[in-house]
Amino acid sequence: MNIKSFKLIAKIVVSSFVSQYSFSQKTSTNTTNNSQKYTASNKGKFFISWGGNRESFSRSDIRFKGTNYDFTIRDASAKDKPKGWHIDYFKPTKITIPQTNLKIGYFISDKYAISFGMDHMKYVMNDNRNKIIDGYINLPNNELGSQYNGNYDNEVFFVSEDFLLFEHTDGLNYVYTEFSRFDDVSSIFNIQNTDKFQLNITEGLGAGILYPKTNATLLQKDRYDEFHVAGYGLSLNAGLNMTFFKHFFIQLDLRGGYINMPDIRTTSNTAESASQHFFYLQRVISFGGVFRI
């Protein structure tokens, strides 16, 4: 091997080494930059959100029982009671007037979080319409509401406001714990800097209690409107989370669930109650923040 050939081989080896080192250094730098992004890891972060909702309810049978009566209204329908875009969502003294959602959570890993929340929904039974009623009413003749006395065998009955007013309007409060998963899908949309804008999809499973404040006037008895633990609920959630500048987010959620309330207070007499179970669908928009302590 002559000196010229040796120099050529040495040049190739050195060039190869330098190129490889430069590539490794570049890759290492990119990896370091990515790992340094605040949004690259969620574990240990807390989040809190506040928003509003609209909801729809399935039909349900509502049973009312107490001293001298036990009857069921079949296929009762209901609607929510929206406030719309309003300053009351942020006024502490009027915060229970609109339909609201509160959630506080903690990431136990990069993808999974545990949260606690309250969905403040509103349920208003549609009255002043014909419904099927089954059961009996046998009040003393000198008592208000005795004009409705009778035995009902799946009969068509006009459910007037004088006969029954039934609302969970302050409200249909679902207090729950949720286990959820977050997936960063920013790369699908070619979003490079997730510290400026990050797109996540989230799914969750929740369970909790129903703590309604039921506004009820039944058989012309005195109006009753107090908080009471009435039953339990289960929920499934799917959402789109848009995080801005690492710490602020807007989230759109579609939440469906099942509510079973076997012990709804309707009068001041603890021996009198109502029961019902139904499905619901909730559309939520919320605003929040995510941070490490």
Side-chain angles (χ1 to χ4, degrees), residues 42-45 105-114 179-180:
N42 284 325
K43 186 176 181 180
K45 292 179 182 176
Y106 175 75
F107 282 97
I108 58 175
S109 72
D110 285 343
K111 289 186 179 293
Y112 293 98
I114 294 176
F179 181 71
S180 56

Side-chain angles (χ1 to χ4, degrees), residues 166-286:
F166 186 73
E167 305 177 351
H168 310 295
T169 45
D170 200 23
L172 183 63
N173 300 310
Y174 175 44
V175 184
Y176 64 91
T177 301
E178 185 176 81
F179 181 71
S180 56
R181 176 184 170 101
F182 285 72
D183 287 285
D184 182 357
V185 294
S186 304
S187 60
I188 297 175
F189 300 93
N190 200 29
I191 298 169
Q192 301 295 326
N193 190 348
T194 54
D195 275 3
K196 287 187 176 179
F197 179 68
Q198 184 184 39
L199 198 60
N200 302 283
I201 57 171
T202 176
E203 314 86 35
L205 174 65
I209 63 169
L210 268 298
Y211 189 55
K213 192 169 190 279
T214 304
N215 176 17
T217 306
L218 173 64
L219 298 172
Q220 298 186 1
K221 296 175 182 287
D222 290 339
R223 175 178 174 269
Y224 189 81
D225 186 15
E226 297 294 338
F227 288 106
H228 180 67
V229 177
Y232 67 90
L234 302 170
S235 57
L236 289 171
N237 186 77
L240 179 66
N241 173 285
M242 295 166 283
T243 300
F244 304 88
F245 304 110
K246 302 186 288 188
H247 298 293
F248 310 100
F249 66 83
I250 298 173
Q251 186 158 322
L252 306 175
D253 288 303
L254 189 63
R255 181 172 299 142
Y258 170 74
I259 287 173
N260 189 337
M261 294 188 290
D263 186 24
I264 303 167
R265 292 292 302 276
T266 53
T267 73
S268 57
N269 185 348
T270 57
E272 301 181 312
S273 65
S275 60
Q276 66 175 149
H277 57 90
F278 54 86
F279 294 95
Y280 72 94
L281 181 66
Q282 191 178 176
R283 288 84 68 196
V284 183
I285 179 170
S286 54

Side-chain angles (χ1 to χ4, degrees), residues 61-94:
D61 294 345
I62 309 176
R63 182 182 179 185
F64 298 87
K65 59 181 180 178
T67 308
N68 301 316
Y69 66 88
D70 187 344
F71 65 91
T72 300
I73 296 176
R74 304 289 183 191
D75 290 328
S77 60
K79 58 182 179 292
D80 64 350
K81 193 175 182 181
K83 183 77 174 180
W85 295 96
H86 205 279
I87 192 63
D88 284 353
Y89 280 93
F90 304 99
K91 282 186 176 179
T93 57
K94 296 185 177 182

